[in-house]
Amino acid sequence: KASRNWAHCRVLIIDEVSMLGSLLFTKLARIGAALRGVPTAFGGLQPVLFGDFYQLPRRALVAFSVPSLCHLS
């Protein structure tokens, strides 16, 4: 059922992004690509992030510079 949910989504909404570490963020991007069969981050889903970005620790910002995600604009 989870695979089917990923396949039918168009947008991935993540609330409280400051609680999400860079490792989990990267894993979600790769899981989405694998389950949707699309070789782009999140399988082509548009991620929408909510939360207080001023609460992000400096190391969490590494998630936005992981090589597999650098092609996102």
Side-chain angles (χ1 to χ4, degrees):
K1 182 178 178 177
S3 298
R4 190 172 56 238
N5 289 341
W6 275 91
H8 294 311
C9 286
R10 291 186 293 169
V11 177
L12 177 64
I13 299 173
I14 300 175
D15 193 12
E16 295 297 336
V17 69
S18 63
M19 304 301 286
L20 189 68
S22 61
L23 183 61
L24 182 55
F25 190 83
T26 302
K27 284 181 181 180
L28 285 172
R30 291 181 179 164
I31 288 170
L35 291 177
R36 293 174 58 88
V38 179
T40 59
F42 301 103
L45 288 176
Q46 176 68 49
V48 178
L49 309 176
F50 291 94
D52 186 352
F53 288 91
Y54 289 109
Q55 290 181 356
L56 286 173
R58 287 186 174 266
R59 66 182 178 277
L61 294 175
V62 172
F64 298 102
S65 65
V66 172
S68 64
L69 304 178
C70 286
H71 63 279
L72 295 177
S73 56

